[in-house]
Amino acid sequence: MRPKRLTKNLAAALASAMLFTGAGITVLGAFPQKIEAAAVKPTTAFALFEQRLQKPSSIGLAQATLVNRIGQMTQLEANLAVLHLENALKAYLPTATKRMNAPVVQLDIKNIYTPGMSMALARSKVQRSESRIVLQDLTAMNYKLERGGGGFIPVIQYKSFKVFKPYLSKDLQVYIDLMAAESEQPTVINRTLQVDWYQVVERAVQYEAFVQTYKTSNRAAAMKEAFEASKQIVFNGAPNTPLFDKKTQVILLKAAIAYENTLSEAGPEQIEASRLLTQLDDFLLLVEQNGDKKTQAVMDYLEAM
């Protein structure tokens, strides 16, 4: 197949992916990891933030403290504060999800929900006090309301972390952009692809570049997991959006065009610098040699990757 006509210009997008000047499946998530602060007296702002972060009931207050006082912290403290805030939100997420999964809460949200509705707006519209309390608590913690798994779920709103970027080390600035892009437009929801094939490969390249560039980052392990998951989507698609047609086993034309255009825009130098793009180039050639189908030879290649 290997179509050569460019149907979408990826030059800017791919450049940002490789150079990290731009933003950014559902599997993304930073592992709660601990890093030790230097043995110096913390600033008042950092100490207050850490104190308020100790209890779930005051996570929202801790976030407000960080927004207002991060400029009074050292960069190391700012890094620690943002990482600790993410860890706290991730640690409470199972409880938040359980609370929102209560049948009455799900029903109340369903009755008033419109696409893109914020947690705060949902709280203002539901009538039952039980549901209002749950949504009020999660609004205070700045979780985002999303549809998923056949119902409604809370999601960490990484977009709100962007206010912290000027105070953070470069790796965490990039990490926030990547996480915000994924949380605002998840790659996969309910086993179905939500972005086009250009974005599928672009995000994988971005995760790979993070892992290559920031090997000692506190979030390197999280980005490595994200990369491995996104790589699987590049070469296989999602369960409900497979890369190869289930009946004919022929590669999807839209995906093939997107991948070919991505490689054309990248050029030999960027392809050589990225193991993912190198593998994708070899993969497309093999698929072409096998009549654009997922033959045993293609499956063997994927298994060996």
Side-chain angles (χ1 to χ4, degrees):
M1 185 178 293
R2 315 249 324 155
K4 296 300 181 183
R5 182 173 62 86
L6 297 185
T7 60
K8 185 174 182 181
N9 189 351
L10 286 187
L14 195 57
S16 72
M18 300 304 293
L19 299 178
F20 285 109
T21 57
I25 147 207
T26 306
V27 299
L28 275 184
F31 297 138
Q33 302 173 43
K34 295 181 180 179
I35 58 179
E36 301 299 327
V40 295
K41 184 178 180 180
T43 61
T44 301
F46 182 74
L48 180 62
F49 166 79
E50 288 289 301
Q51 177 187 347
R52 290 175 170 175
L53 195 65
Q54 298 308 305
K55 297 180 180 179
S57 60
S58 58
I59 288 178
L61 184 57
Q63 291 188 69
T65 301
L66 189 57
V67 169
N68 294 323
R69 300 201 181 194
I70 192 170
Q72 301 169 21
M73 300 179 187
T74 67
Q75 186 181 80
L76 175 58
E77 288 177 333
N79 284 350
L80 281 169
V82 170
L83 292 172
H84 290 175
L85 175 59
E86 182 193 33
N87 288 348
L89 289 170
K90 287 184 66 65
Y92 188 75
L93 190 56
T95 299
T97 302
K98 183 178 180 180
R99 293 180 68 188
M100 188 176 283
N101 275 343
V104 293
V105 177
Q106 289 286 315
L107 179 60
D108 286 349
I109 297 175
K110 181 180 179 180
N111 288 337
I112 54 89
Y113 183 79
T114 56
M117 178 176 283
S118 68
M119 192 78 75
L121 183 57
R123 182 210 62 79
S124 70
K125 286 184 174 294
V126 297
Q127 299 299 316
R128 205 185 318 251
S129 60
E130 178 182 345
S131 299
R132 290 176 67 90
I133 291 172
V134 171
L135 295 175
Q136 175 59 46
D137 289 349
L138 300 186
T139 297
M141 294 181 184
N142 206 23
Y143 286 109
K144 182 182 177 183
L145 179 63
E146 288 284 359
R147 301 205 70 154
F152 301 94
I153 59 173
V155 175
I156 296 176
Q157 191 163 221
Y158 282 96
K159 184 178 179 180
S160 66
F161 279 50
K162 288 192 174 187
V163 69
F164 307 132
K165 285 177 56 182
Y167 307 96
L168 304 178
S169 56
K170 182 61 178 177
D171 63 311
L172 293 188
Q173 293 179 34
V174 175
Y175 173 75
I176 287 172
D177 279 341
L178 295 177
M179 296 297 287
E182 178 62 33
S183 66
E184 289 302 302
Q185 188 178 24
T187 303
V188 174
I189 296 179
N190 294 336
R191 299 162 59 89
T192 302
L193 202 62
Q194 302 296 307
V195 299
D196 62 33
W197 294 98
Y198 289 93
Q199 289 177 287
V200 167
V201 67
E202 180 186 343
R203 288 184 179 185
V205 169
Q206 289 173 324
Y207 301 144
E208 179 189 44
F210 186 101
V211 174
Q212 291 176 343
T213 305
Y214 303 112
K215 292 182 173 64
T216 61
S217 172
N218 185 263
R219 291 311 192 233
M223 285 292 96
K224 184 175 181 181
E225 181 184 350
F227 169 61
E228 292 298 333
S230 63
K231 180 179 175 181
Q232 288 298 314
I233 296 176
V234 169
F235 290 99
N236 295 285
N240 294 336
T241 318
L243 180 60
F244 293 88
D245 183 270
K246 291 183 178 180
K247 292 183 178 180
T248 66
Q249 293 299 305
V250 173
I251 191 170
L252 298 184
L253 181 59
K254 287 183 178 180
I257 291 174
Y259 290 175
E260 287 288 355
N261 287 352
T262 297
L263 293 170
S264 295
E265 294 288 351
E269 186 175 340
Q270 287 187 334
I271 291 175
E272 185 177 353
S274 167
R275 179 166 175 76
L276 174 72
L277 292 181
T278 299
Q279 290 176 326
L280 183 59
D281 195 29
D282 293 341
F283 172 74
L284 291 179
L285 179 59
L286 178 63
V287 170
E288 179 188 24
Q289 292 171 345
N290 284 266
D292 299 328
K293 292 186 176 183
K294 189 177 184 180
T295 63
Q296 186 61 50
V298 172
M299 289 189 286
D300 289 344
Y301 177 83
L302 293 174
E303 182 68 25
M305 277 194 344

